[in-house]
Amino acid sequence: MKKHIISVLAGLALAGTLAFADGLSFTNVLYTEVANFSKVEDNDLDVNFAGNNQTYEQMAAGYTSEKVDIYAQARINFLTADDKFITGFGYRGDKTFFSIKYKPVSGLDLGIGTSYNIPGAYLAVEDDYVAIGKIGSPGFNVALTGIKNLTVVVAFDFISGWYDNIFESGDKYVFNTGVGAWYEFKNGKDATVFTLGAAFDYSRANAGNIHAGVYGSAAPLEGLDLYFGFTYNTPGPNNEGPKAPPSTYDPYIVDDHAVNFSVTYAKKSFYSAFDFNTGLRFKDDNDNEIVPAFYAGALLGYNISKDFAVEVSSQTYGWYNLYMKGKDSFVTIQPAAIWALSKHNTFVFSALVKLKENSFNLSFPVKWTFKL
């Protein structure tokens, strides 16, 4: 783990040395919950203030040139205990990584740690992609873009198996591979009106299971975008469960075939989004009946001015027959105010309500984003 953190921070330092070069990007995000109120069943109200293991800093730096692209990101969590503000540090693995891309000729990208997303796999409220719609790996990836409007990516993950074997006491070294492609259909104004893509993944992480998906997107009207797809044998987080992952904002459907649908609509100052992702498998491998899980999200927003916006979002996860029952089913409601103080600084002030069967949590997150 420590070697993984050091390698990523070294990548950030490398990108940072290019601070005065063309093509540099740098982003720093500082997030904390000013206050957190929680109550479980008949227990007393629990009150915590800034810290409470809900504070992190995320740094990202990138450099783009004609031949080489470099990107590094690290998220550091500030840990607290015994009413002390900071007692230690940790990191979030899926938010900490380094990538480098080499472009020897036009239409060919060779990369380590690079990633590509199939457009139709997008979940707009979550602002993320379903797992199989993300093409790439910590290992070696090849992207072919030489044919107009077509992108083909082949991923060779030789790092994860080695990392698990050496640092996580895995049973044996294994090799993962995947391939994905999508085609963009454009109109006479060279604007994309439809995309169609597919992905295939052979995953060590899920006992050698095969995962696959077909995804599409469309822009039928001005301001309206649709995203939709089908995933065969969804992998889910850490391939555990069928259960909700630990983070509120990771809407994976586990161990089911699944359908994803998302829509965004914007007109003048108004913008909105809706997500829906549902499992489809109703029997397990032993022909026993099971009930699939689902995720849904909605967002409404309004730009009051070019520098200030307000919005409200809601997300939920659960099973059709056990909705809001058990610790893994929840619903969140989050009103927010977004203030672009300058071209470099943006603040988000919000109130986050999280409801479960026998508990509720109310917090007041503040996020400051600095960009160069």
Side-chain angles (χ1 to χ4, degrees), residues 156-211:
F156 304 94
D157 181 5
F158 56 85
I159 290 180
S160 293
W162 172 82
Y163 180 86
D164 289 347
N165 183 254
I166 300 299
F167 296 104
E168 303 294 339
S169 300
D171 293 330
K172 59 182 179 179
Y173 176 80
V174 285
F175 181 80
N176 306 329
T177 186
V179 61
W182 67 94
Y183 187 85
E184 301 179 21
F185 299 85
K186 300 190 175 185
N187 60 18
K189 299 180 180 179
D190 202 35
T192 301
V193 294
F194 186 80
T195 70
L196 183 62
F200 171 90
D201 174 68
Y202 179 81
S203 175
R204 162 209 52 85
N206 200 8
N209 283 350
I210 292 173
H211 314 289

Side-chain angles (χ1 to χ4, degrees), residues 59-83:
M59 300 169 287
Y63 174 72
T64 300
S65 67
E66 182 180 356
K67 291 294 184 181
V68 178
D69 295 345
I70 302 171
Y71 185 82
Q73 177 177 293
R75 176 178 291 190
I76 306 300
N77 297 324
F78 298 88
L79 307 179
T80 62
D82 301 325
D83 297 324

Side-chain angles (χ1 to χ4, degrees), residues 29-33 54-57 352 363 365-368:
V29 177
L30 182 62
Y31 173 96
T32 189
E33 294 185 357
Q54 299 296 330
T55 299
Y56 68 79
E57 183 168 15
L352 175 60
S363 60
V366 175
K367 183 169 72 172
W368 170 34

